[in-house]
């Protein structure tokens, strides 16, 4: 039974992704003339700005992780920390979050505290990131998209509360696992004493990640749709936030493949023609991969330069 479940999960993931992406592809095919007209008039300068902001956004995300690793005492050095961060970040593209968590833990296995402290730090990182995104969603989405349903707001508030608890007490998940399993062998005793000011600093950085990411998405959309003005930034910020949150929540598929696209297209099509919204959302994923790849290459170059003997 344990062997069958992963196979069934993958099949379900492929079916969901196909059910979402195939109709999108058909939309692009049937409106190829209209889409081609938009692509001819792309603003290359705005694309460059969007890519630059995306690289900056990932840099802030990496900087926040460096601060967490340093506070937890698991730092491997600047260049190795950067390589570990961006390498494990690419593992999010593999189905299931387990590869991302396992990859990060494996890369920090030689650090003080080893796998358990590194995993706790990763959970802290994602809890703060999720908390920032949910708070931004509670502020932006109801006003921009009319999501005034009480149950939607209640669900967002509940997840926000859970994220807040995990952020303030990162070891909560391990303690809950011990309670369920009633085993002392699940993890060694980890005592984390993190000053409140550090938590607030990291949370501020993750809020900045969401805002800069939203600005990058706004510039990316403006590159294809020149009529978009800065006054529409709250709208594109809401789309970007919902798009990224759906990727964090959709663990079944690789980086939310299909789920993220469906969310982005559904919301963006309220402002743009649906075929154009599909093109923008699909190309934006490629832009994200390009920015991650550039950072990974840079981190490898930094480490190589560090290893070179002085002349």
């Amino acid at each position: 039974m344990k062997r069958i479940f992963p196979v069934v999960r993958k099949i379900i993931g492929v079916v969901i992704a196909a059910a979402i992406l195939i109709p999108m592809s058909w939309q692009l095919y049937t409106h190829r003339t209209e889409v081609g007209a938009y692509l001819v008039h792309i603003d290359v300068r705005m694309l460059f700005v969007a890519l630059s902001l995306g690289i900056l956004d990932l840099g802030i995300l990496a900087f926040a992780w460096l601060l967490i690793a340093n506070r937890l005492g698991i730092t491997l050095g600047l260049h190795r920390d950067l390589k570990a961060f961006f390498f494990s970040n690419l593992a999010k593209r593999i189905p299931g979050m387990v590869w991302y968590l396992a990859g990060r833990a494996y890369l920090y296995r030689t650090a003080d505290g080893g796998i358990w402290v590194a995993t706790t730090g990763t959970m802290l990182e994602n809890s703060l990131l999720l908390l920032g995104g949910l708070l931004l969603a509670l502020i932006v989405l109801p006003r921009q998209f009319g999501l005034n349903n009480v149950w939607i707001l209640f669900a967002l508030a509940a997840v926000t509360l859970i994220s807040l608890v995990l952020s303030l007490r990162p070891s909560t998940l391990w303690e809950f696992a011990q309670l369920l399993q009633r085993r002392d062998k699940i993890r060694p005793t980890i005592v984390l004493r993190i000053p409140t000011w550090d938590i607030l600093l990291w949370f501020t950085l993750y809020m900045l990640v969401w805002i800069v990411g939203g600005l990058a998405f706004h510039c990316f959309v403006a590159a294809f749709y020149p009529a978009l003005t800065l006054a529409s930034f709250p709208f594109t910020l809401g789309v970007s936030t919902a798009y990224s949150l759906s990727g964090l929540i959709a663990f079944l598929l690789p980086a939310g493949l299909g789920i993220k696209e469906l969310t982005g297209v559904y919301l963006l099509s309220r402002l743009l023609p649906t075929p154009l919204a599909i093109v923008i959302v699909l190309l934006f994923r490629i832009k994200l991969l390009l920015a991650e790849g550039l950072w990974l290459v840079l981190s490898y170059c930094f480490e190589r330069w560090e290893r070179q003997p002085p002349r």
Side-chain angles (χ1 to χ4, degrees), residues 79-80 83 297-308:
H79 302 147
R80 292 182 64 191
K83 188 176 74 171
V297 170
L298 284 174
S299 63
Y300 270 100
C301 291
F302 290 152
E303 186 180 23
R304 185 174 180 180
W305 291 337
E306 185 183 34
R307 289 179 178 178
Q308 288 182 349

Side-chain angles (χ1 to χ4, degrees), residues 133-149:
L134 288 169
L135 287 179
L136 197 59
L138 284 172
I139 295 170
V140 176
L141 293 181
R143 179 175 297 179
Q144 293 297 320
F145 303 100
L147 297 179
N148 296 319
N149 186 291

Side-chain angles (χ1 to χ4, degrees), residues 51-203:
L51 179 60
S52 300
L53 287 171
I55 293 172
L56 173 63
D57 193 44
L58 283 172
I60 299 171
L61 193 63
F63 178 64
W65 168 251
L66 292 178
L67 294 179
I68 292 176
N70 184 66
R71 169 56 67 182
L72 296 182
I74 58 173
T75 181
L76 303 172
L78 176 61
H79 302 147
R80 292 182 64 191
D81 281 335
L82 284 175
K83 188 176 74 171
F85 175 83
F86 288 109
F87 185 81
S88 61
N89 207 49
L90 282 176
K92 291 180 180 178
R93 311 303 162 191
I94 303 174
M97 285 290 288
V98 63
W99 299 108
Y100 162 64
L101 294 172
R104 178 75 63 82
Y106 177 79
L107 291 170
Y108 279 93
R109 67 192 185 281
T110 59
D112 293 338
I115 291 175
W116 296 110
V117 176
T119 304
T120 302
T122 304
M123 289 182 174
L124 173 61
E125 171 198 31
N126 283 277
S127 297
L128 287 170
L129 186 62
L130 183 61
L131 175 61
L134 288 169
L135 287 179
L136 197 59
L138 284 172
I139 295 170
V140 176
L141 293 181
R143 179 175 297 179
Q144 293 297 320
F145 303 100
L147 297 179
N148 296 319
N149 186 291
V150 175
W151 291 108
I152 293 177
L153 296 178
F154 176 77
L156 285 173
V159 178
T160 301
L161 179 61
I162 294 172
S163 301
L164 180 62
V165 171
L166 294 178
S167 301
L168 296 177
R169 189 178 175 83
S171 58
T172 301
L173 283 179
W174 297 122
E175 294 169 353
F176 183 67
Q178 279 189 328
L179 181 64
L180 291 179
Q181 298 291 332
R182 296 185 181 279
R183 296 178 184 175
D184 294 328
K185 297 181 180 180
I186 291 182
R187 66 167 178 88
T189 302
I190 300 175
V191 180
L192 294 178
R193 295 184 177 90
I194 303 175
T196 304
W197 286 111
D198 284 345
I199 296 290
L200 292 176
L201 173 60
W202 302 337
F203 176 72

Side-chain angles (χ1 to χ4, degrees), residues 1-53:
M1 192 67 180
K2 290 182 179 180
R3 295 181 179 179
I4 296 176
F5 179 73
V7 176
V8 174
R9 184 180 179 185
K10 290 179 181 178
I11 293 174
I12 293 175
V14 171
V15 170
I16 293 175
I20 294 172
L21 296 178
I22 290 177
M24 287 186 183
S25 301
W26 179 252
Q27 277 273 350
L28 292 180
Y29 177 75
T30 55
H31 294 84
R32 57 189 180 277
T33 304
E34 179 185 350
V35 171
Y38 280 110
L39 294 179
V40 169
H41 299 93
I42 293 176
D43 189 339
V44 179
R45 292 173 300 178
M46 291 302 291
L47 277 181
F48 178 77
V49 172
L51 179 60
S52 300
L53 287 171

Side-chain angles (χ1 to χ4, degrees), residues 24 27-28 31 34 38 144-145 217 221 225 228 232 235-236 238-240 242-243 260-282:
M24 287 186 183
Q27 277 273 350
L28 292 180
H31 294 84
E34 179 185 350
Y38 280 110
Q144 293 297 320
F145 303 100
F217 182 76
V221 174
Y225 192 71
L228 190 71
S232 300
F235 175 86
T236 51
V239 175
S240 172
Y243 171 85
K260 291 180 71 173
E261 281 68 24
L262 180 63
T263 303
V265 170
Y266 172 74
L267 296 177
L268 197 57
S269 61
R270 297 190 176 196
L271 181 65
L272 311 180
T274 300
L276 180 58
I278 294 174
V279 170
I280 290 174
V281 169
L282 292 177

